[in-house]
Amino acid sequence: MAGTETDAASTPSPVRARKRLRLVLALALAGAIIAATAVVGVAQRTQVLTAAQVDYDAALTGYTSAQKQASASVAAGADAIAAAQETLDFSAGKVATEDSRTALAAAITDARARLAADTTVIERATAVARTAPAADTSFLSPGSGLDAATRTVASVDLPATDSTPSIADSLVAPQQAVRDAVAAWEAALYTNHVQAVGWLPELDQCVGSVDVTAYYAGIPSIAEHWSCGGKNFPDDAGTIITLTGVHSGLYRVDGIVAMLNSSRDSVADLPGGHDLLYQTCQNGQGATMSFTALTKIG
C-alpha cells in the first residue's frame, strides 16, 4: 500500500497540469508583448532620429548658402576698397579741390570698418554653425541633440546681403566723383584749339590744329605741325583733353593707333572707326606721322 501511495503523490493531477500550462503560456505571451514593444520602440526612435537629421541637414544647408553669399559680398567689398584706394592715391594732386577726395577717404574708412565687422561676424557664425550636434543617447528623447543643433544653426546671424547696400556699392558714387574731378582737372590742363578747316596753308599759320578730314578720305581728323604744338599734344591713353573751335568738346585720348610713312603710305592706310584722329609728324619727319585716336566724352 505504501508504494501505491508514493506513486499517486508523484503523479500530477489534471488541475495542477493545467495551472502549469497556463503559467507557461502567460510567460510566453508576456515575452512576445515585450519583444513586440521593443521592436515598435526601435522603429519609432529611428523615425524620430531620421526626421531630426533631415531638419538639421536642411538648416545647415540653408546656413551654408547664406554664409557663401555673405563671404562673397565681403570679398567683393575688399576688392572694391582696394580699387577705391588706388583711385584716391592716383588722384593726389590731380583735382582742383580736395572735396571729392575727402569724401572718398571717409567712405573708404567706413567701408574698412564695416568689412572688419562683417568678417568677424562671419567667423563667429561659422564656428557656431559648425559645432557638432550632441550625441542622442537619451532613450526617452531621441533626436534632442539634433533638434538643439538645428535651433542653434537657425539662430545664427550673418551680414545682410539683400536688404542693405553692399560695401562695394557704398564706394561707387564717391569713387566716380573723384574720377570726374580728375577728368575735369586734366581737361583744364590741356586745351587744343581747332582753328579752321583746311590744309597746308592753314597748318602753316601755326595758330592751332586744322580739320583735314576732306584730305583724309573723309576720316574725321585734325592735324598740327610738330613745331606748332604737335610735340605737346598728349598721346597717353586715358588722358582727358578739351578741344575748342571746330570739334569742340571733351575727349579721351586712346593712344597712338598708327604710325605711317608719307613716302610709302596713303590715306588707304589710315585707321578708321574712331571719333577723331589727331595727326602730327613726330620730330617734324614725314616718315613718322603719328595718328592719335580721340573719343568724345562730353
Side-chain angles (χ1 to χ4, degrees), residues 169-217:
D169 290 340
S170 70
L171 294 171
V172 172
Q175 188 173 5
Q176 187 59 50
V178 170
R179 289 171 177 162
D180 292 343
V182 170
W185 177 83
E186 290 179 336
L189 283 181
Y190 185 86
T191 298
N192 183 284
H193 181 60
V194 186
Q195 56 97 7
V197 174
W199 189 230
L200 291 177
E202 289 75 19
L203 287 168
D204 292 341
Q205 290 175 4
C206 207
V207 292
S209 298
V210 177
D211 182 300
V212 293
T213 302
Y215 292 86
Y216 280 168

Side-chain angles (χ1 to χ4, degrees), residues 60-71:
L60 188 59
T61 297
Y63 162 77
T64 300
S65 176
Q67 192 267 354
K68 287 182 178 179
Q69 291 180 2
S71 296

Side-chain angles (χ1 to χ4, degrees), residues 224-232 259 279-290:
E224 195 169 18
H225 289 315
W226 182 257
S227 59
C228 296
K231 63 182 178 181
N232 298 320
M259 188 74 75
Q279 184 268 315
T280 190
C281 293
Q282 300 275 329
N283 298 311
Q285 303 298 312
T288 52
M289 297 174 62
S290 63

Side-chain angles (χ1 to χ4, degrees), residues 6-269:
T6 300
D7 292 339
S10 61
T11 301
S13 68
V15 175
R16 189 174 299 165
R18 285 195 296 272
K19 288 182 178 180
R20 288 180 179 178
L21 179 59
R22 284 197 296 269
L23 178 59
V24 170
L25 291 175
L27 291 174
L29 179 60
I33 293 173
I34 291 173
T37 301
V39 171
V40 172
V42 170
Q44 289 178 338
R45 178 179 176 80
T46 300
Q47 184 178 9
V48 171
L49 284 172
T50 299
Q53 185 68 56
V54 168
D55 290 343
Y56 173 73
D57 291 344
L60 188 59
T61 297
Y63 162 77
T64 300
S65 176
Q67 192 267 354
K68 287 182 178 179
Q69 291 180 2
S71 296
S73 179
V74 165
D79 291 341
I81 289 173
Q85 185 64 52
E86 288 182 5
T87 298
L88 184 64
D89 295 342
F90 172 78
S91 65
K94 299 178 181 179
V95 292
T97 67
E98 288 294 312
D99 294 348
S100 61
R101 297 187 73 252
T102 299
L104 178 58
I108 291 174
T109 298
D110 291 343
R112 283 178 173 153
R114 183 175 167 188
L115 180 70
D118 286 355
T119 299
T120 298
V121 169
I122 291 174
E123 290 174 348
R124 290 176 178 173
T126 300
V128 171
R130 293 296 182 180
T131 301
D136 285 299
T137 58
S138 172
F139 183 80
L140 297 178
S141 301
S144 57
L146 285 166
D147 290 341
T150 298
R151 290 191 295 272
T152 297
V153 173
S155 67
V156 171
D157 289 326
L158 287 166
T161 57
D162 56 356
S163 59
T164 59
S166 68
I167 294 173
D169 290 340
S170 70
L171 294 171
V172 172
Q175 188 173 5
Q176 187 59 50
V178 170
R179 289 171 177 162
D180 292 343
V182 170
W185 177 83
E186 290 179 336
L189 283 181
Y190 185 86
T191 298
N192 183 284
H193 181 60
V194 186
Q195 56 97 7
V197 174
W199 189 230
L200 291 177
E202 289 75 19
L203 287 168
D204 292 341
Q205 290 175 4
C206 207
V207 292
S209 298
V210 177
D211 182 300
V212 293
T213 302
Y215 292 86
Y216 280 168
I219 295 177
S221 305
I222 58 175
E224 195 169 18
H225 289 315
W226 182 257
S227 59
C228 296
K231 63 182 178 181
N232 298 320
F233 194 91
D235 55 26
D236 291 331
T239 303
I240 307 300
I241 66 171
T242 298
L243 296 185
T244 59
V246 183
H247 300 293
S248 63
L250 200 63
Y251 290 81
R252 182 186 67 245
V253 175
D254 296 327
I256 295 176
V257 292
M259 188 74 75
L260 304 182
N261 187 328
S262 61
S263 64
R264 68 166 183 262
D265 298 315
S266 68
V267 292
D269 298 303

